[in-house]
Amino acid sequence: MNFTRRNLLLLAAAIGIAAGPATAYAADVLNVGAYPTNPPFEYKNESGTFEGFEVDIVNEAAKRIGMTTEIADLGFQALFAATTSKRIDVAISSITITPERLKSQAFSQPYYDSDMGIAAKADSPIKSEADLKGKIIGVLSGSTGEAWTKQHQEADGFSEVKGYDTQQNLLLDLSAGRVDAAVSDIPGLEYSFTRMKDLAVKERIKTGEQYGLMMAKDHPLLGKLNDALTAMKKDGTLAAIHKKWFGSDAPADSSTVKEMPMPKA
């Protein structure tokens, strides 16, 4: 009886030792969630691998704290539940830092400044917000574009606000005339319109939006990743990533270049 118990204990110890390296490896992996059709911020290439501006940022930040990344394909709205439930450590997808989101999420310092835009077919008579009365407006569900559109729907007289799970589907419907206009972030729109020549940004909506890494409020890696972003700004790495994906230098006073405080709720 004692011999059997001793062997069981030895076997359990051996299993624990064998499992040790796998556990250590998992601890070195930063689990990232990303919306897969949001170029140039993040998208999947032909081999199914994520690429993009924010992909390079999170990969470099993870490297600087001794980790590698695993990036999961998630819908935009699903990112918020995934960070809260700790299914992922970090969410990227040009996620605007807002007071409402800071109630339930935490963000690193910002690394990109943006505005929203109103887009329509290039030959559309729609030129500005004033022309949207009675029109169907398309938005990415869960985005700040959706929030802005719903806030302005009554005053501006939009006939309907249609939500989409992907930016691609939103813009395809805009091109096909199933919605009259779309409200979304300027960088993603302008990047898409280099290929979708029939669409154009008609008016810029100045919002002062900024993007950051989104994480759970109590995540132990938030400070470390934020420090990595600071170092990337100071040594020019973030500016170089911006140049790579946007083909231009980041403005000297932008959050891509300047160290910024972490947002507080």
Side-chain angles (χ1 to χ4, degrees):
M1 184 71 173
N2 290 336
F3 180 80
T4 303
R5 183 182 295 115
R6 181 173 181 274
N7 277 273
L8 287 172
L9 290 171
L10 288 171
L11 179 61
I15 291 172
I17 292 169
T23 304
Y25 176 77
D28 291 338
V29 175
L30 188 71
N31 292 300
V32 180
Y35 165 57
T37 53
N38 186 36
F41 292 94
E42 45 275 314
Y43 64 93
K44 282 188 172 182
N45 60 26
E46 291 181 358
S47 66
T49 302
F50 272 97
E51 293 183 346
F53 174 68
E54 288 181 297
V55 175
D56 282 359
I57 289 173
V58 77
N59 283 344
E60 178 64 22
K63 178 182 175 182
R64 291 184 183 220
I65 65 170
M67 302 183 78
T68 58
T69 62
E70 286 186 1
I71 305 180
D73 177 340
L74 294 173
F76 187 79
Q77 285 184 298
L79 293 171
F80 298 87
T83 50
T84 301
S85 67
K86 310 287 180 68
R87 177 184 169 192
I88 59 174
D89 300 301
V90 179
I92 55 173
S93 288
S94 54
I95 304 173
T96 302
I97 303 164
T98 69
E100 186 63 29
R101 287 172 178 167
L102 284 167
K103 292 177 183 178
S104 59
Q105 306 284 342
F107 284 86
S108 70
Q109 64 179 292
Y111 47 71
Y112 190 84
D113 302 337
S114 181
D115 289 316
M116 286 190 298
I118 296 170
K121 297 187 78 167
D123 59 359
S124 169
I126 293 172
K127 302 298 181 187
S128 69
E129 181 182 345
D131 300 320
L132 298 180
K133 185 175 182 179
K135 305 299 184 184
I136 301 172
I137 314 301
V139 295
L140 181 64
S141 295
S143 69
T144 51
E146 179 183 48
W148 181 92
T149 304
K150 288 187 174 180
Q151 286 168 5
H152 289 76
Q153 183 173 10
E154 184 175 351
D156 288 347
F158 311 147
S159 67
E160 184 183 351
V161 177
K162 290 184 66 174
Y164 290 82
D165 290 335
T166 71
Q167 182 97 325
Q168 181 180 19
N169 287 340
L170 165 59
L171 297 181
L172 286 173
D173 267 15
L174 179 61
S175 182
R178 285 185 281 270
V179 295
D180 300 300
V183 176
S184 191
D185 295 328
I186 287 274
L189 290 174
E190 290 183 335
Y191 184 87
S192 296
F193 297 167
T194 60
R195 291 163 297 156
M196 303 179 76
K197 303 293 187 181
D198 62 324
L199 302 178
V201 175
K202 297 301 187 100
E203 183 178 25
R204 179 179 287 267
I205 303 169
K206 298 294 289 183
T207 60
E209 292 185 56
Q210 294 180 313
Y211 305 154
L213 301 177
M214 188 174 75
M215 306 177 72
K217 273 189 168 293
D218 58 349
H219 202 292
L221 295 177
L222 176 61
K224 291 182 178 181
L225 289 170
N226 190 73
D227 290 345
L229 291 176
T230 295
M232 290 163 64
K233 291 180 181 185
K234 288 182 175 179
D235 66 19
T237 300
L238 241 168
I241 294 172
H242 184 283
K243 180 80 170 182
K244 171 184 173 181
W245 288 102
F246 295 99
S248 61
D249 293 326
D253 62 346
S254 71
S255 65
T256 305
V257 177
K258 291 177 63 176
E259 180 182 357
M260 307 285 284
M262 275 203 293
K264 302 296 183 184

